[in-house]
Amino acid sequence: MKRFAALMTSAALLATQAGLAQMGAPGERPPMMSAVPGPLAAKYKSDADKILQAAMADDEGYAHLAYLTDHIGKRLSGSPQLNTAVEWGAELMRKAGLQNVQIQPVMVPHWVRGNESATITYKGETGTITKPLHMLGLGMSVGTPKGGITAPVVFVHDFAEFDALSNDQVKGKIVVFNPGWHGYGVGSMYRTGSQGRSAAKGAAAVLVRSATGLAMQTPHTGTLRYDEKQAKIPSAAISVEDALLIERLAKEGPVQVHLEMDAHMEPDVKAGNVIGEIVGSEHPEQVVVLGGHIDSWDVGQGAQDDGSGIMATFEAVSLIHKLGLKPKRTIRIVFWVNEENGGAGGRAYRQWIGDKIGDQVAAIEMDGGAEKPLGIGYGGFGRARRPAPPSPGAAAAAPAPSGFDESSLSAEEKQSFVYMRDIVCLLGSIGTDTVSPGGGGSDIGPIVADGVPALSPHTVGDHYFDWHHTEADTLDKVDPDSFKRNTAMLSVVAYVLADMDGRLAGRKGVARE
């Protein structure tokens, strides 16, 4: 999950599931609305029970995830492994009997990490400390000159402290940011936004505390965003422990870091979105689309982020087909490409839809891990996406509050919540019978900005940010039972949305990178 593309205006407020759990202060949860039975629960009970029973007994989805993670592995955009996964995904859809299976060509960036290392040196009255740092270069970063960079450290907690420094205090030095842990939104704001403002004052490089609350000497990568008006400087994430060590030592005396990074860009590579369908029986032109992103970072196995998402959504669609259920509208599964460091797949899908955007009935993205699901998130009505990095000299905005004002909804939006609370009545047996205001994801951001209703699973979110973007994002982190519950919930929701007479309401916004 890169949390890089599809930042929304307040009109859209498109939070991802993971964002719902942790975009604000750690531990915050969006409000959960309980199920309220209505005509949809009565009409679809029999079909839903069949889906739930089949999903909870199904082992194929998890087996597919195991193959993807163990045998194909990490799938960075531009890598041979990604294109192997794309071809495998298309064949998987064909074998499942889905219709109109295709690979939509998409050109993706090819960033190469190369060798990298960092070492800290402190010389004080009590002696010298030299030790390697636990680090991972940030995606799309430039590398250091051959032989690396050796420079003094400037330690700051936040942008306010940094902006108070003069250019002379920063020029030629390595800036270390440690904003603490205040949720992923704040952490990723420093990861993506510290390079430009540091370069503007002449910094040689940037090191950022990893965007996680877990301290286990595990660095977290993720993409950055360079300011095209400034020089591009090498940037890396360091572990929580190392960030705190630098903070302590910097209070005692001068700290120096030697940084070496071979990171570089190569020409774009052809990859693709993987698409398959169950064609609607009455309104085939109308589409409920669901999926996740097939690419991952080049560390770990991309198991939670986002192998679990594409395999749970695929199995959700596959089960509907296996059970012989024929919804009135088309159900489309998409494995989007290049979510982590570019968003090319989501943009290409929007271009492919063209002027048929009004036929996109709903978009469901699973990109927050397959932890225990609590229910489904719907629409742009809860917490805002994480704030964009402030411009130099401007104060960093706090994440928007998570309050939900039902009275501000339109009549169509209120009716949509009635529909959703009715639908989740079908999910009581698996414990996912709630609706939360807020749902979406980066890949569906471009179509959701044009008014397509957005949904995403709402999970407990206990450990997702401990694992994602790290070497620890491996299959063993995905609990089979939780995976099945996510699959079951997605399958029932997608099927009912594709077959019911009514439609959900969406909100238009502005997607930007």
Side-chain angles (χ1 to χ4, degrees):
M1 187 201 311
K2 69 179 169 59
R3 306 296 145 239
F4 168 85
L7 295 173
M8 297 294 159
T9 65
S10 58
L13 299 182
L14 300 176
T16 63
Q17 178 282 126
L20 289 172
Q22 306 223 22
M23 284 298 175
E28 279 191 15
R29 304 289 186 190
M32 292 189 293
M33 301 179 180
S34 59
V36 177
L40 296 177
K43 178 178 180 180
Y44 291 103
K45 185 178 188 311
S46 177
D47 288 342
D49 286 347
K50 292 177 184 177
I51 292 172
L52 295 178
Q53 182 178 5
M56 295 308 295
D58 178 77
D59 292 318
E60 289 190 6
Y62 197 86
H64 294 320
L65 176 61
Y67 184 87
L68 174 68
T69 54
D70 289 341
H71 295 272
I72 298 177
K74 59 195 75 171
R75 307 169 297 281
L76 183 64
S77 289
S79 68
Q81 293 92 335
L82 175 62
N83 283 348
T84 296
V86 166
E87 294 291 342
W88 172 80
E91 184 60 22
L92 195 66
M93 292 185 189
R94 294 187 189 100
K95 289 181 178 178
L98 301 187
Q99 298 166 276
N100 301 326
V101 176
Q102 61 179 296
I103 298 173
Q104 178 196 9
V106 180
M107 297 301 293
V108 301
H110 186 192
W111 176 77
V112 178
R113 177 180 302 279
N115 295 323
E116 57 185 18
S117 64
T119 303
I120 183 177
T121 300
Y122 164 79
K123 294 181 180 180
E125 295 180 359
T126 58
T128 300
I129 298 172
T130 300
K131 71 178 291 291
L133 296 175
H134 300 79
M135 59 84 73
L136 278 175
L138 295 179
M140 313 302 276
S141 176
V142 297
T144 61
K146 187 176 181 179
I149 295 171
T150 302
V153 159
V154 173
F155 175 88
V156 293
H157 291 97
D158 52 33
F159 289 140
E161 284 187 18
F162 179 80
D163 290 341
L165 300 176
S166 68
N167 288 7
D168 288 342
Q169 290 175 296
V170 176
K171 186 175 181 179
K173 298 178 181 178
I174 296 176
V175 183
V176 177
F177 286 91
N178 180 13
W181 177 241
H182 304 285
Y184 186 68
V186 173
S188 60
M189 181 173 67
Y190 282 87
R191 187 192 74 210
T192 61
S194 59
Q195 294 76 27
R197 63 200 308 126
S198 298
K201 290 191 176 185
V206 169
L207 299 178
V208 183
R209 168 190 162 137
S210 291
T212 180
L214 181 67
M216 290 190 69
Q217 290 291 21
T218 305
H220 293 229
T221 191
T223 199
L224 55 74
R225 186 185 301 120
Y226 280 122
D227 182 345
E228 294 303 323
K229 297 178 182 179
Q230 305 296 338
K232 296 181 179 181
I233 57 177
S235 303
I238 57 177
S239 69
V240 173
E241 293 91 339
D242 283 348
L244 294 170
L245 172 64
I246 292 174
E247 178 176 2
R248 294 192 301 271
L249 294 178
K251 292 177 181 177
E252 298 180 14
V255 176
Q256 184 172 273
V257 165
H258 179 73
L259 178 67
E260 292 191 38
M261 295 173 60
D262 292 339
H264 63 279
M265 297 295 300
E266 296 191 359
D268 289 358
V269 174
K270 182 178 178 181
N273 293 330
V274 189
I275 301 171
E277 297 177 340
I278 298 174
V279 177
S281 60
E282 294 184 17
H283 305 290
E285 77 285 356
Q286 297 181 16
V287 177
V288 172
V289 62
L290 69 161
H293 64 87
I294 194 168
D295 65 303
S296 76
W297 281 109
D298 57 332
V299 290
Q301 296 179 321
Q304 287 283 17
D305 185 19
D306 187 29
S308 65
I310 60 172
M311 289 297 96
T313 51
F314 165 75
E315 199 62 18
V317 176
S318 180
L319 286 170
I320 293 170
H321 177 68
K322 289 177 184 177
L323 292 169
L325 299 173
K326 301 185 182 299
K328 296 174 184 176
R329 301 182 178 100
T330 294
I331 296 178
R332 177 178 295 154
I333 176 73
V334 182
F335 299 165
W336 283 282
V337 75
N338 185 226
E339 189 271 351
E340 293 292 5
N341 63 335
R347 294 193 300 272
Y349 182 78
R350 174 63 188 93
Q351 293 170 1
W352 183 61
I353 296 302
D355 61 4
K356 304 294 185 182
I357 190 68
D359 288 331
Q360 299 287 296
V361 174
I364 308 171
E365 181 162 1
M366 181 173 171
D367 186 18
E371 293 186 86
K372 180 182 176 182
L374 301 174
I376 195 81
Y378 157 60
F381 314 108
R383 181 179 300 139
R385 294 292 294 273
R386 73 177 189 273
S391 57
S402 58
F404 172 62
D405 181 8
E406 192 170 356
S407 67
S408 68
L409 303 181
S410 68
E412 292 79 10
E413 290 165 349
K414 290 178 180 177
Q415 180 58 51
S416 295
F417 273 104
V418 171
Y419 286 147
M420 290 307 303
R421 297 178 78 174
D422 192 354
I423 292 171
V424 297
C425 286
L426 300 165
L427 303 173
S429 66
I430 60 168
T432 63
D433 50 344
T434 69
V435 178
S436 299
S442 294
D443 294 300
I444 63 176
I447 63 171
V448 170
D450 282 324
V452 177
L455 302 99
S456 56
H458 171 207
T459 77
V460 294
D462 287 339
H463 297 291
Y464 181 72
F465 290 114
D466 298 342
W467 304 320
H468 98 313
H469 296 188
T470 76
E471 287 287 358
D473 188 7
T474 49
L475 179 65
D476 53 284
K477 308 305 187 303
V478 183
D479 174 68
D481 182 75
S482 294
F483 178 86
K484 291 178 181 180
R485 291 175 190 272
N486 277 283
T487 298
M489 177 179 66
L490 290 163
S491 190
V492 169
V493 171
Y495 174 69
V496 176
L497 291 177
D499 195 73
M500 62 188 249
D501 293 332
R503 292 177 58 162
L504 302 180
R507 285 187 176 187
K508 288 191 175 183
V510 178
R512 64 182 176 87
E513 290 189 5

